[in-house]
Amino acid sequence: MASGKLKPAYISRLCGELYDTVSSGMSINDGIYMLMGDNDNDIILENLLTETAKGCNFSAAVKHTKAFPSYVEEMIDIGEQTGRLDSVLKELSVYYNREEEVTRNIKNAVAFPLILLTILVVIVVLLLTQVLPVFDDVFRQLGVTMSASATALMNIGSAISTYAYIIIAVIAALVAGIVILYNIPATHETVMGIFQGRKLKRQMSSSKFASAMSMTISSGMDIDESLEMSKKLCDKEAVGKINSCQEMMKNGLSFDKAVQKSAILDPASSRKLTISFHTGKTDEAMKKIAKDYSEKVNNSVDEKISRVEPALVIIMSLLVGFVLFSVMIPMLSVITAV
């Protein structure tokens, strides 16, 4: 039995491979068996094959692993009931591939400033502990003392050198604690929420809504069923908007107008939906809207990086410049005296 939920990248790859086998005319059991040949150590495939070999349908086998998100379980169940399992697998692969891409970009965006910050700290520590003492020895030989600011910085560097092991141990403990906390779902969501900000969070929510609607409508579900299923992927704010949309539809408003009034999508995307809704191509429009939102999310992440990177570079330059300037003042006095 698998422990924990599977990552989006694995779900996307597995659903994509199963779609290839099923769409070619193979049974789902044969498809899993064929994939097992290339993935002998895949515990998920082993569990799926064991269950389907007993005569269980694929949706029951997926639920038995307890490793897939409930949304995947329900969508596969719907796919089997409607005879559109291949379409569901394809849409799930596309959705989770998009989810993985967005998550990866956000993680990279968080990691990049941390790397720059680490480099900044290392450079400053080297200047304080290695460079300033050398200049201090040179100045002493010339009969000159360093400036008060440079002396203070050198004393800080001396303290760092003296208590280096303690400082390293404390930093290591803090890093370990941060990693542990970050891997706790609640803490992870909080950290990601702080980084995302309201704009990026709203874009990601709209992207999930559009993806879910595209996937469910393409799988043969009607608008009402698709709206209900989309709640499983969206955050609380988006779920509230979907509830509002459903209420307006009950009062006689069309789907596209209800989406527009509930502000689930931005005005431009709502207009695209209105045009497609009246031509019977809602699923295609939702797929295009989801793709557009993914691009917006990636652009927003790049925009955040473009703001953080120059700020850290400026801070690094100012700190290094301050240390060097503190050293150059007594150096200038020596040159002037000569």
Side-chain angles (χ1 to χ4, degrees):
M1 195 76 62
S3 59
K5 296 299 180 182
L6 297 171
K7 295 184 180 298
Y10 179 92
I11 298 175
S12 175
R13 179 176 60 81
L14 178 61
C15 289
E17 290 174 342
L18 288 175
Y19 164 73
D20 290 337
T21 57
V22 172
S23 61
S24 66
M26 297 176 63
S27 68
I28 192 70
N29 188 60
D30 290 339
I32 297 171
Y33 183 79
M34 188 181 74
L35 293 179
M36 274 293 298
D38 298 325
N39 302 274
D40 294 334
N41 298 319
D42 195 322
I43 188 67
I44 299 299
L45 286 175
E46 289 180 9
N47 287 334
L48 290 174
L49 186 60
T50 299
E51 294 303 312
T52 54
K54 292 178 182 177
C56 290
N57 56 29
F58 183 53
S59 59
V62 167
K63 291 178 181 178
H64 186 268
T65 66
K66 297 182 180 179
F68 291 87
S70 60
Y71 184 78
V72 174
E73 295 176 352
E74 294 187 34
M75 285 300 300
I76 288 177
D77 188 25
I78 291 169
E80 284 189 325
Q81 292 180 29
T82 59
R84 299 190 179 187
L85 180 59
D86 56 341
S87 297
V88 168
L89 289 171
K90 180 180 180 181
E91 294 299 328
L92 284 172
S93 178
V94 172
Y95 171 79
Y96 280 100
N97 179 63
R98 187 179 293 124
E99 186 82 356
E100 169 63 18
E101 181 182 350
V102 171
T103 302
R104 183 174 61 250
N105 288 342
I106 292 177
K107 286 182 177 179
N108 290 341
V110 173
F112 188 70
L114 289 177
I115 293 172
L116 278 180
L117 185 61
T118 302
I119 294 173
L120 169 62
V121 171
V122 169
I123 290 175
V124 171
V125 169
L126 287 175
L127 286 173
L128 298 183
T129 59
Q130 303 297 322
V131 177
L132 284 181
V134 173
F135 277 99
D136 184 53
D137 290 338
V138 172
F139 288 149
R140 287 181 185 278
Q141 293 176 12
L142 295 174
V144 180
T145 58
M146 290 200 302
S147 63
S149 58
T151 301
L153 291 173
M154 189 178 68
N155 290 336
I156 294 174
S158 177
I160 292 174
S161 297
T162 302
Y163 301 103
Y165 291 111
I166 297 176
I167 294 173
I168 291 173
V170 170
I171 292 175
L174 286 174
V175 170
I178 290 172
V179 170
I180 292 172
L181 287 174
Y182 183 76
N183 287 316
I184 297 174
T187 309
H188 176 82
E189 291 297 325
T190 301
V191 172
M192 295 301 283
I194 292 173
F195 170 80
Q196 290 168 6
R198 186 164 182 80
K199 177 184 175 183
L200 181 55
K201 190 174 182 180
R202 187 168 58 247
Q203 290 174 340
M204 292 180 66
S205 181
S206 297
S207 176
K208 287 185 177 183
F209 170 75
S211 294
M213 292 299 293
S214 169
M215 188 182 343
T216 50
I217 294 173
S218 297
S219 302
M221 299 175 69
D222 60 30
I223 296 294
D224 292 326
E225 292 172 326
S226 296
L227 283 170
E228 199 61 36
M229 285 293 291
S230 68
K231 294 179 184 179
K232 299 180 183 297
L233 293 178
C234 298
D235 56 30
K236 290 182 180 179
E237 182 178 351
V239 169
K241 293 179 179 179
I242 294 171
N243 288 332
S244 176
C245 177
Q246 289 175 311
E247 191 64 31
M248 284 186 278
M249 289 174 64
K250 288 179 182 179
N251 294 329
L253 205 62
S254 63
F255 169 62
D256 58 316
K257 296 299 181 185
V259 169
Q260 184 178 9
K261 285 185 175 295
S262 58
I264 304 175
L265 304 175
D266 60 43
S269 298
S270 295
R271 286 193 294 271
K272 290 179 183 177
L273 176 60
T274 297
I275 295 171
S276 65
F277 180 72
H278 292 287
T279 58
K281 297 182 178 180
T282 305
D283 57 334
E284 294 180 12
M286 281 298 187
K287 187 178 296 185
K288 179 66 168 61
I289 290 170
K291 183 178 180 181
D292 291 342
Y293 267 112
S294 293
E295 292 175 357
K296 289 179 183 178
V297 169
N298 291 334
N299 290 337
S300 295
V301 171
D302 291 339
E303 184 180 334
K304 284 181 176 289
I305 295 177
S306 66
R307 292 175 183 173
V308 174
E309 181 182 355
L312 289 176
V313 171
I314 290 172
I315 293 172
M316 183 188 302
S317 301
L318 289 175
L319 287 174
V320 173
F322 176 73
V323 173
L324 295 178
F325 184 72
S326 299
V327 172
M328 290 304 296
I329 292 177
M331 182 74 74
L332 290 173
S333 64
V334 172
I335 295 174
T336 304
V338 173

